Amino acid sequence: MVDYRYLGRSALKVSPLSLGTMMFGGPTPDDVAFRIIDKAREQGINFIDTADVYHDGKSEEVVGRGIKAHRDHWVVATKFVNSHKKGPNLGGHSRKWVIETVENSLRRLNTDYIDILYFHRAVFDAPLEEPVRAIADLIRAGKLRYFGVSNFRGWRIAEISHLADQLGIDRPVASQPLYNIVNRTAEAEQLPAAYHYGLGVVSYSPLARGVLTGKYEPGQAPAADTRAGRGDKRILETEWRPESITIAKEIAAHAARKGVTPTEFAIAWVLNNKLISAAITGPRTEEHWDSYVRALDVKIDAEDEAMVDRLVATGHPSTPGFNDPSHPVEGRVPRGPAGTDDNVVPLARAVA
């Protein structure tokens, strides 16, 4: 039996695991993707996550074909903002792009409506009101049911909630932050802000892009068949850190004493936080998915919580001074020479 949870203060119920499809339309063959989708549905999973930029839209196409026979069973989430296309308005926050990308996602997903549309990330120098107005229109047109935010800091969660109130639409239904044992920064502001403003939290990367599976050895080069070994840019600039790899080995040893795998333990730890509605788990293989689902049977106790707190302090990453270059800190704007425009913070940045 799946323990379905309300998504924030909405009446929408979702499974505690969301099937992430970043590998679909790419490394995962289509027939394997369809088997995973069918198996997940049979197991009671009703939440599936994709994005317009995953493999240039191919992920959405695979998801659309995979859910077609049982469309209304699924809560389908996709995203906008990012784009691989070249052009000043091919991506971002403009009404033009919001409407265009939603129409494209509807076509690729082969559906009449999207359950949740996420802002994939914040655009620091663009206003928030314009895309929220466009989303409100799309909700009224029946093309969207809800919307959410991803990678938004706490103050932006507050701002977009207030904008929704002003425009007379429901607040965003979900926040999607990165959250795992070796990066707990979401605990400082993102999770409390989401709770305060009524958003459910659908966190991603519970395995720290694979580091928490325990497959990497401290001080050794990664195996060629791993994400780090293939030179994946995102893991190399984020989770591929000596501190995280060492912690992952300690987690693996603790999980073994508990009689579970490190994968199961890491996912179960995320779900043991009452502020988390669901965790996105993105399999490349059917075996990966099977290991993720087993996490739903793992119970995290006070000893487990204390062990993790000893390894990584609440609200912090594993590594002192770590910042993700894709989501930089905004609070340092050096001044230019006196009397120049460089001393003026752009209005869009000041209020976005």
Side-chain angles (χ1 to χ4, degrees), residues 110-339:
N110 192 28
T111 184
D112 296 329
Y113 67 97
I114 294 165
D115 292 289
I116 302 173
L117 178 73
Y118 287 102
F119 286 76
H120 208 154
R121 62 177 176 85
V123 178
F124 296 161
D125 61 352
L128 274 176
E129 184 172 347
E130 182 174 337
V132 174
R133 285 185 180 277
I135 286 169
D137 290 343
L138 290 165
I139 290 173
R140 294 184 184 107
K143 296 183 178 183
L144 304 177
R145 297 292 187 261
Y146 306 88
F147 77 106
V149 297
S150 181
N151 300 301
F152 271 36
R153 300 190 190 279
W155 74 267
R156 274 198 177 83
I157 292 173
E159 178 67 12
I160 203 165
S161 296
H162 291 311
L163 280 172
D165 292 347
Q166 292 168 16
L167 295 172
I169 64 170
D170 289 338
R171 291 177 177 179
V173 73
S175 172
Q176 190 180 112
L178 181 143
Y179 183 52
N180 55 58
I181 288 174
V182 291
N183 196 330
R184 303 178 61 175
T185 54
E187 294 171 348
E189 288 190 8
Q190 289 169 289
L191 303 192
Y195 176 78
H196 179 80
Y197 287 99
L199 286 70
V201 176
V202 185
S203 60
Y204 70 91
S205 199
L207 299 177
R209 297 181 172 90
V211 166
L212 287 168
T213 64
K215 61 187 174 185
Y216 298 112
E217 296 294 332
Q220 296 185 21
D225 62 345
T226 62
R227 189 167 179 175
R230 292 191 296 269
D232 179 89
K233 178 178 181 291
R234 286 299 285 145
I235 191 174
L236 293 179
E237 66 185 12
T238 54
E239 306 301 354
W240 182 250
R241 289 174 268 145
E243 296 89 346
S244 292
I245 295 167
T246 298
I247 288 168
K249 299 308 291 187
E250 294 195 50
I251 294 293
H254 178 86
R257 292 190 293 271
K258 192 178 176 71
V260 300
T261 69
T263 294
E264 295 161 10
F265 182 89
I267 295 171
W269 178 86
V270 169
L271 294 176
N272 198 50
N273 187 336
K274 290 183 179 180
L275 302 185
I276 299 293
S277 304
I280 300 172
T281 49
R284 179 172 56 84
T285 68
E286 196 169 350
E287 291 74 23
H288 287 163
W289 176 252
D290 292 341
S291 70
Y292 302 159
V293 172
R294 289 196 294 270
L296 296 177
D297 296 324
V298 176
K299 303 301 180 184
I300 300 296
D301 58 26
E303 180 184 354
D304 300 323
E305 291 283 351
M307 186 271 304
V308 172
D309 288 347
R310 176 178 59 81
L311 295 173
V312 183
T314 303
H316 288 269
S318 67
T319 310
F322 170 74
N323 282 308
D324 184 343
S326 287
H327 305 290
V329 175
E330 301 169 62
R332 178 68 182 175
V333 184
R335 293 185 180 277

Side-chain angles (χ1 to χ4, degrees), residues 52-71:
D52 55 349
V53 292
Y54 293 165
H55 304 290
D56 290 325
K58 293 185 177 63
S59 172
E60 287 184 327
E61 292 175 358
V62 171
V63 169
R65 296 200 301 274
I67 68 172
K68 183 177 180 180
H70 303 279
R71 169 64 184 94

